[in-house]
Amino acid sequence: LWGALAVSLLFPLPWLLIMSKRSTHLAVADTESRSFTREHGQLAGALAESRQLRKNNDFNGALQVVDSVLEQTPEDPDALLTKAQVLWEGFEDAIEARKCLRKVIEMDGPIDNVVRKWSLGLFDEITRHMQKKTHGASAGAKEHFPQHNDIKI
């Protein structure tokens, strides 16, 4: 009788240990997931802040915020597009803005079609502006600035 009681009392013990290890693993995974979600939310919030600063013509502030996002996620297409918009609208820095846009345009893998379209459109807008500026500054000199369709994707 005592043997059977002892076995029945000990049998749940391994099951409880397995379940507690599983619960610990799930709790760690859940914490990591919440951490990722929180970090992603913070980055999205920072991008929204940068866009708002840009709308308010605080281009220095907008650039500072978007640069902090790009330090953490240097290949984020939304952040690269936002930086290009800030550089172009706030500082008329066509060269650096086009570098950001080129990264987005040449990205492999799935990216939001809207982000790609806006990047292509802004790239072409900046290119046209550079061509007009070059043609106006030096009569007859023709410098070639590639359009987005000259870029190999």
Side-chain angles (χ1 to χ4, degrees):
L1 179 67
W2 287 107
L5 183 60
V7 170
S8 68
L9 289 175
L10 291 177
F11 177 73
L13 187 59
W15 182 80
L16 286 173
L17 288 174
I18 290 169
M19 289 308 291
S20 73
K21 285 183 180 180
R22 184 170 184 259
S23 296
T24 303
H25 176 71
L26 291 175
V28 169
D30 186 49
T31 302
E32 289 173 356
S33 174
R34 277 187 273 137
S35 174
F36 173 77
T37 303
R38 184 174 35 253
E39 182 178 311
H40 181 71
Q42 288 171 345
L43 294 176
L47 274 180
E49 178 186 356
S50 180
R51 290 183 188 116
Q52 187 60 47
L53 290 168
R54 185 183 107 232
K55 286 180 185 175
N56 294 336
N57 295 323
D58 181 359
F59 297 106
N60 287 319
L63 186 59
Q64 191 173 22
V65 172
V66 77
D67 278 342
S68 71
V69 171
L70 285 168
E71 283 176 14
Q72 296 175 46
T73 57
E75 299 299 317
D76 184 308
D78 288 329
L80 288 166
L81 173 59
T82 301
K83 181 172 182 172
Q85 291 168 330
V86 170
L87 289 169
W88 176 239
E89 293 170 18
F91 304 100
E92 289 192 22
D93 188 344
I95 303 299
E96 290 303 313
R98 282 173 38 116
K99 284 180 186 177
C100 292
L101 295 168
R102 186 179 293 261
K103 285 182 184 179
V104 175
I105 293 166
E106 293 176 344
M107 278 185 179
D108 290 333
I111 69 166
D112 186 355
N113 281 335
V114 173
V115 172
R116 188 181 298 273
K117 283 181 184 178
W118 287 349
S119 297
L120 291 170
L122 184 56
F123 189 92
D124 285 345
E125 176 188 323
I126 295 170
T127 300
R128 284 190 301 276
H129 178 79
M130 291 172 72
Q131 287 172 338
K132 285 180 188 175
K133 195 173 179 180
T134 301
H135 293 303
S138 56
K142 188 170 186 176
E143 188 172 346
H144 177 71
F145 295 102
Q147 296 286 324
H148 79 268
N149 48 359
D150 292 337
I151 299 172
K152 294 183 175 36
I153 300 176

